[in-house]
Amino acid sequence: MVLNGKKLMGWIVVVLVLLLAGSYWFLSNSTGDSVPAGGRDNDVKTFDLVAVEHTGKHPQTGEQMEIYRWDPGLLVVNKGDRVRLNIIGLNGHSHPFTIEGMGVKGEVVKGDVTTVEFVAKKAGTFKIVCLSHTDLSNEGPMIGHIVVLK
Ligand SMILES: [Cu+2]
């Protein structure tokens, strides 16, 4: 193949554009050293939950019922994930809670957002238990589940 000056310049431009595009791609995909000490936010699996109340009549007794729930009540993460829960207190004055097996405790109060963060170190199913609304006779059970996959 014979290249005259014009064709050669064209090839040089094509090669330069490819080099620039390649280095841009490389730089934008590299992790870099500028990660803040707490890790980047997109490394955290974040869930927005709501403490909600359901009301209605029991279908058999006709008794008025008030039941509290975590919504959503089922979360799935992977082992090793850093997990953040932002829990909105929509209904009910107070929901002191614990996440069994995670060493997490907190309280959700009406009109506020409670944030807890933890690392899912073990695989398994872990309960988010409201200590006030434990069973049907206490306007519960207000129990959610976190499934940690291997
Ligand atoms: Cu509760």
Side-chain angles (χ1 to χ4, degrees), residues 95 130 133 142:
H95 306 279
C130 173
H133 306 111
M142 190 180 183

Side-chain angles (χ1 to χ4, degrees), residues 51 68-70 94-96 130-133 139 142:
Y68 292 98
R69 290 286 191 264
W70 304 115
S94 168
H95 306 279
C130 173
L131 303 172
S132 292
H133 306 111
E139 302 177 323
M142 190 180 183

